[in-house]
Amino acid sequence: MTIIPTIHLNGTGYDTLYEEYNAAYGAVKKAIDAMYDTTCNGRDYYVQGGSAYYRARDERQAAIDKLSKVKDYLAEVLMGIIDQKPDRDRL
């Protein structure tokens, strides 16, 4: 279970927390999109041996998976912050 920052008078305000976590979420999402846009072509690896492309492809996917876990964490924290929005019921 992810620990969510608690919004209270002595802590960081809702707007700051929301903006910071939302920016981080957007940056990680952009990084994931950029990783998917990178070329992973077998012709770039065949000179390294028959399995090099498959290893490179798996490594790339592992990196994307790590970024996806970070994105999921940020989304969970962001939703927890949103749940604490002051005057939320007036929307």
Side-chain angles (χ1 to χ4, degrees), residues 39-61:
T39 301
C40 191
N41 186 322
R43 291 180 303 223
D44 298 329
Y45 299 95
Y46 77 90
V47 296
Q48 298 176 44
S51 66
Y53 164 72
Y54 300 104
R55 286 185 19 234
R57 185 189 62 190
D58 292 346
E59 288 173 359
R60 177 177 173 258
Q61 188 58 52

Side-chain angles (χ1 to χ4, degrees), residues 54-91:
Y54 300 104
R55 286 185 19 234
R57 185 189 62 190
D58 292 346
E59 288 173 359
R60 177 177 173 258
Q61 188 58 52
I64 291 169
D65 292 345
K66 289 175 185 177
L67 287 170
S68 293
K69 285 183 181 183
V70 172
K71 184 181 74 114
D72 292 346
Y73 163 79
L74 291 168
E76 190 172 350
V77 173
L78 193 53
M79 295 313 309
I81 291 167
I82 290 169
D83 286 344
Q84 298 176 70
K85 181 176 172 110
D87 301 320
R88 191 177 103 132
D89 295 331
R90 293 187 201 176
L91 296 177

Side-chain angles (χ1 to χ4, degrees), residues 17-36:
L17 287 170
Y18 175 82
E19 289 170 12
E20 291 173 352
Y21 277 92
N22 193 45
Y25 178 87
V28 173
K29 185 175 181 330
K30 188 174 180 178
I32 291 169
D33 292 344
M35 284 293 297
Y36 276 119

